[in-house]
């Protein structure tokens, strides 16, 4: 403890931390500039809820398709370069989606943006963990908090553009150029050198590195179950995020008849509260443990959004999305960190698997919610949020308790 408190990171490490924060910021801001434009795009394309849900599911589909290749790219080109390259191409995909004149082009552009976003996501988290190891203490939640700031900034930019009557093309082109420049500048200050590699078994000792035959199956089975639970926890977090990204604006505008500018506040409230949760997340985890924080947050998300859906009003719904965002704030960082330290897996393997599989939430949620909305109502479809909270309550036992 004393060593960590007295240790001061080198200047290069502090600069790298700022650079990674910029990458997380641009990643959050880019896609958030498109989300409030969804109702207008949906109306211009003349599609229903089910078709819309399938179209926006192209983004996570692209991420899942390309996700496992991220590790190969990171090892070959370095996490910083992959993160920046993915950012540039994500901006291109988002611009193309905003200018799409058909549902096929819209879905194709989102597929491209999702694939590139998957590369950026894995790479920026990998580089963030490199910086964290240099610091000797946890800072990963702060990077995800910066992502939330970027998402709030992007959503606010889009809301302002809509209020000013700016068309989608110039607005999204401006966003893509600004954040591309920011990412390229950040690249200059990222950590140099190759990514950290796993130690060969020969260097660590055969007897220590190879489990005994009697313990290997049980240990492997337990690791598998823990990894599956971590994927479910991360997926629950992404389900809630997707509800804000894909449906908050539509629900507020179509079901509750809010104005276009006000309807964007649902998503902004979710990511804004998520930012607050991540800012205080490290301290809460240190004090109460990851398990207690996850369970408390899941309860807040389930009750907050459940009440908002039970008594639908514009202010209550905005508050409900805020409660959901705050409640799931630490879930994805917690799952990634826990997975990255699972025994029996190569360094980075757990992180890559959780990052890849959790995107199933983004893939499955839009079409399922859309089908439910067409069959009943979007209000019923958004029950996915409190259900995600209940899922975390069931799985949070795999997270670490408070250190005594």
């Amino acid at each position: 403890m004393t060593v960590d408190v007295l240790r001061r990171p080198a200047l290069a490490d502090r600069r790298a931390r700022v650079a990674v924060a910029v990458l997380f910021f641009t990643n959050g801001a880019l896609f958030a500039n498109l989300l409030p434009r969804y109702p207008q795009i949906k109306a211009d394309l003349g599609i229903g809820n089910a078709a819309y849900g399938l179209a926006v599911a192209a983004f996570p589909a692209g991420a899942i398709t390309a996700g496992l290749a991220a590790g190969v790219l990171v090892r070959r080109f370095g996490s910083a370069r992959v993160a920046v390259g993915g950012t540039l191409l994500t901006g291109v995909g988002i611009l193309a989606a905003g200018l799409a004149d058909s549902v096929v082009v819209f879905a194709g552009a989102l597929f491209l943006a999702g694939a590139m976003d998957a590369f950026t996501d894995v790479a920026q988290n990998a580089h963030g963990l490199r910086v964290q190891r240099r610091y000797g203490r946890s800072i990963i939640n702060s990077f995800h908090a910066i992502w939330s700031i970027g998402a709030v900034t992007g959503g606010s930019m889009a809301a302002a553009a809509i209020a000013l009557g700016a068309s989608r093309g110039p607005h999204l082109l401006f966003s893509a150029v600004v954040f591309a420049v920011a990412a390229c500048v950040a690249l200059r200050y990222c950590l140099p050198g190759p990514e950290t590699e796993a130690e060969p078994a020969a260097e660590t000792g055969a007897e220590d590195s190879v489990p005994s035959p009697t313990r290997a199956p049980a240990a492997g089975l337990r690791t598998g179950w823990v990894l599956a639970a971590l994927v479910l926890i991360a997926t629950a977090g992404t389900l809630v995020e997707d509800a804000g990204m894909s449906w908050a604006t539509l629900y507020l505008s179509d079901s509750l008849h809010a104005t276009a500018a006000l309807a964007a506040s649902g998503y902004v409230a979710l990511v804004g509260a998520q930012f607050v949760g991540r800012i205080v997340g490290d301290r809460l985890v240190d004090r109460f443990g990851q398990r207690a924080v996850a369970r408390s947050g899941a309860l807040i998300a389930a009750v907050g959004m459940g009440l908002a859906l039970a008594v639908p009003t514009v202010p209550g719904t905005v508050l409900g999305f805020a409660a959901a965002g705050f409640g799931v704030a630490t879930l994805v960082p917690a799952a990634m960190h826990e997975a990255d330290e699972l025994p029996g897996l190569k360094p980075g393997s757990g992180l890559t698997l959780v990052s890849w599989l959790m995107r199933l939430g983004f893939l499955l949620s839009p079409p399922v919610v859309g089908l439910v909305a067409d069959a009943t109502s979007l209000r019923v479809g958004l029950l996915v949020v409190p259900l995600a909270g209940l899922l975390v309550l069931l799985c949070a036992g795999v997270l670490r308790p408070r250190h005594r």
Side-chain angles (χ1 to χ4, degrees):
M1 179 66 70
T2 304
V3 174
D4 288 343
V5 171
L6 295 178
R7 176 182 176 183
R8 181 175 176 80
L11 177 60
D13 299 335
R14 297 199 302 271
R15 287 177 173 175
R17 181 177 182 177
V18 173
V20 174
V22 170
L23 294 178
F24 271 83
F25 179 89
T26 58
N27 183 248
L30 268 175
F31 194 48
N33 265 278
L34 177 66
L35 296 175
R37 296 288 193 171
Y38 273 180
Q40 184 183 9
I41 294 173
K42 179 175 178 288
D44 290 347
L45 297 179
I47 55 178
N49 286 325
Y52 167 79
L54 289 171
V56 297
F59 186 91
I64 290 173
T65 301
L68 288 181
V72 177
L73 293 175
V74 165
R75 286 191 294 272
R76 179 162 185 177
F77 299 106
S79 55
R81 291 179 180 177
V82 173
V84 173
T87 297
L88 302 182
L89 293 175
T90 298
V92 172
I94 288 172
L95 176 61
L99 297 176
D101 57 0
S102 72
V103 67
V104 174
V105 174
F106 177 59
L110 287 181
F111 186 91
L112 169 65
M116 297 304 104
D117 180 74
F119 294 158
T120 300
D121 184 41
V122 172
Q124 70 187 7
N125 274 285
H127 207 77
L129 289 172
R130 281 187 67 190
V131 177
Q132 177 172 277
R133 286 190 287 272
R134 296 283 193 99
Y135 267 67
R137 57 186 171 88
S138 177
I139 59 174
I140 192 67
N141 274 314
S142 68
F143 291 135
H144 287 262
I146 296 297
W147 184 95
S148 297
I149 294 179
V152 171
T153 302
S156 300
M157 287 172 61
I162 292 171
L164 293 173
S167 59
R168 293 196 299 270
H171 159 222
L172 294 175
L173 177 61
F174 173 79
S175 169
V177 171
V178 166
F179 296 122
V181 170
C184 289
V185 172
L187 177 61
R188 181 177 180 182
Y189 299 99
C190 288
L191 294 176
E195 302 302 308
T196 301
E197 298 290 344
E199 279 192 326
E203 295 182 11
T204 57
E207 292 181 0
D208 293 333
S209 62
V210 180
S212 67
T214 57
R215 290 185 299 168
L221 183 61
R222 186 186 187 309
T223 298
W225 280 112
V226 172
L227 184 61
L230 292 175
V231 169
L232 289 176
I233 290 171
T235 300
T238 61
L239 284 172
V240 175
E241 289 184 23
D242 178 74
M245 288 194 304
S246 301
W247 301 104
T249 304
L250 282 174
Y251 179 63
L252 284 163
S253 61
D254 293 354
S255 301
L256 301 184
H257 310 294
T259 63
L262 182 58
S265 64
Y267 175 67
V268 172
L270 184 143
V271 293
Q274 189 179 57
F275 161 73
V276 174
R278 285 172 173 171
I279 283 293
V280 302
D282 285 322
R283 293 181 181 178
L284 292 175
V285 168
D286 287 340
R287 174 143 191 188
F288 302 107
Q290 195 69 261
R291 185 182 302 171
V293 171
R295 284 174 172 165
S296 300
L299 190 61
I300 291 172
V303 172
M305 196 62 193
L307 289 174
L309 294 173
V311 186
T313 63
V314 172
T317 298
V318 173
L319 289 175
F321 277 112
F326 182 83
V328 304
T330 64
L331 294 185
V332 172
M336 286 183 169
H337 181 262
E338 294 280 351
D340 200 45
E341 296 189 352
L342 277 177
L345 297 178
K346 294 180 180 179
S349 297
L351 169 64
T352 300
L353 285 171
V354 168
S355 178
W356 181 61
L357 290 173
M358 76 177 185
R359 291 178 179 271
L360 288 173
F362 283 124
L363 176 65
L364 298 176
S365 178
V368 169
V369 173
L371 290 170
V372 172
D374 278 349
T376 55
S377 68
L378 185 51
R379 179 183 170 192
V380 174
L382 285 174
L383 285 172
V384 67
V385 175
L387 290 176
L390 296 178
L391 179 62
V392 173
L393 287 173
L394 294 174
C395 298
V398 300
L399 298 174
R400 297 181 187 182
R402 178 184 177 184
H403 293 294
R404 297 186 184 278

